[in-house]
Amino acid sequence: MRQWLLKLVLLGLYNVDGYSIQQNQRRQCLRRVATYVAGMCTADLVSNFGATEDDNKIAQAACLPGDLSKSCIGVYKLPYADAVESEWLSDKETLQSFAPDIKYIDVQKQIKRPDTVAEAKKQLKSERVKIKFIREFVLDGELEEAGLLILNLIPTVTSAALKIQEYVEDRTSEEYQAQKELRKFKRSLEILLAEWSSIDIELGMAIRGQRGVTAVAQIEVLEYLKEATAALDDFMKLAEINVQRISVV
């Protein structure tokens, strides 16, 4: 995993001074990698860089969103929207034909998509409360337990956030200021998902022993968690502002 991250550095996907990645730089690095990887299959990404055998074993692992298997912590997740809309993920037999290495789960049953904006906001608030349990697990060094909660949090937050975004987007006028506010809102969702994906990647590396002693991993994950929590709070605040803006139009 470190080797293909380093290759991303050398290809200029993010900038560092030499090979020494300082803590703040490393956080930025993982966020950009999380965003970059979200748009493509990790296996394709690594194969293009000539990865090692160990890297390929990690890269070939992929999970559907909502799969709470421990082996899914820190590996590529198919985007939630693709998982619920793609025809080749609609049933176990079809998935086996296209991607036999991916474990099938019924994403729509596992991760409930809210029917209304009110339900979506309630879903976000519910997941926000669970962050304190993630933090407690990290503090106790129980990284797998923290990872399992995050495996559920990311698609649950995503499904609720997409419901609100679709509602806002459908009702936003073409007026310049309204479109500007919409772009800001959509960007906040991108940041939110990148932040939480960064924690997922970091936890996966720590669990596989790639982050050294547990204490180091705990400190770094707690820093990621603080920023990811702020990103969720920012999105929820913007969601409320945009929904109210539409309501008074």
Side-chain angles (χ1 to χ4, degrees):
M1 175 71 76
R2 285 179 178 174
Q3 292 183 13
W4 69 263
L5 287 177
L6 179 58
K7 288 168 184 175
L8 287 176
V9 175
L10 296 178
L11 287 173
L13 293 178
Y14 46 82
N15 298 315
V16 296
D17 296 326
Y19 294 97
S20 177
I21 303 178
Q22 300 301 319
Q23 194 171 54
N24 185 54
Q25 291 173 312
R26 188 171 181 279
R27 284 202 299 271
Q28 294 176 0
C29 150
L30 273 185
R31 287 192 201 101
R32 295 185 68 177
V33 170
T35 304
Y36 187 73
V37 171
M40 62 193 304
C41 176
T42 308
D44 292 339
L45 173 66
V46 177
S47 65
N48 289 336
F49 294 152
T52 65
E53 182 178 351
D54 289 341
D55 286 335
N56 281 325
K57 288 179 180 178
I58 296 170
Q60 288 168 2
C63 295
L64 293 178
D67 188 339
L68 303 184
S69 305
K70 290 182 179 180
S71 59
C72 291
I73 300 173
V75 306
Y76 175 77
K77 315 295 189 302
L78 276 72
Y80 173 82
D82 292 345
V84 297
E85 295 173 5
S86 297
E87 293 182 359
W88 62 276
L89 295 173
S90 59
D91 58 71
K92 185 174 182 179
E93 291 71 24
T94 305
L95 179 61
Q96 284 293 312
S97 299
F98 286 95
D101 294 332
I102 299 178
K103 174 185 173 183
Y104 175 77
I105 65 167
D106 190 329
V107 178
Q108 297 192 57
K109 286 185 177 180
Q110 182 70 21
I111 305 297
K112 182 182 182 299
R113 180 159 183 139
D115 295 322
T116 65
V117 169
E119 289 181 10
K121 291 194 288 186
K122 183 178 180 180
Q123 193 164 299
L124 288 176
K125 291 178 181 178
S126 177
E127 293 304 307
R128 175 63 175 83
V129 171
K130 296 176 185 177
I131 294 176
K132 66 179 180 181
F133 300 113
I134 297 174
R135 185 174 186 276
E136 290 173 1
F137 278 133
V138 175
L139 285 170
D140 292 339
E142 299 178 13
L143 301 184
E144 282 192 347
E145 285 72 11
L148 291 174
L149 287 180
I150 290 173
L151 287 181
N152 185 72
L153 181 146
I154 293 176
T156 303
V157 165
T158 302
S159 68
L162 288 176
K163 177 65 178 181
I164 298 173
Q165 179 176 285
E166 290 171 2
Y167 176 86
V168 171
E169 192 168 10
D170 290 344
R171 291 162 177 79
T172 298
S173 71
E174 296 297 325
E175 189 267 329
Y176 173 78
Q177 188 60 36
Q179 287 297 314
K180 182 179 178 181
E181 292 298 323
L182 177 61
R183 286 194 296 272
K184 180 181 178 182
F185 180 51
K186 293 170 74 172
R187 177 59 179 159
S188 72
L189 176 55
E190 294 173 2
I191 293 172
L192 168 63
L193 298 181
E195 290 285 358
W196 283 99
S197 295
S198 296
I199 298 179
D200 181 43
I201 293 172
E202 179 69 26
L203 281 170
M205 295 175 70
I207 291 168
R208 291 190 292 271
Q210 295 174 318
R211 296 299 303 126
V213 296
T214 302
V216 173
Q218 286 174 277
I219 293 171
E220 294 189 348
V221 171
L222 286 172
E223 290 181 357
Y224 284 116
L225 186 60
K226 181 179 179 180
E227 296 185 15
T229 302
L232 177 56
D233 289 341
D234 287 344
F235 176 82
M236 291 172 65
K237 184 184 298 182
L238 284 173
E240 190 65 37
I241 291 172
N242 278 272
V243 170
Q244 290 183 359
R245 172 176 59 82
I246 291 171
S247 299
V248 299
V249 173

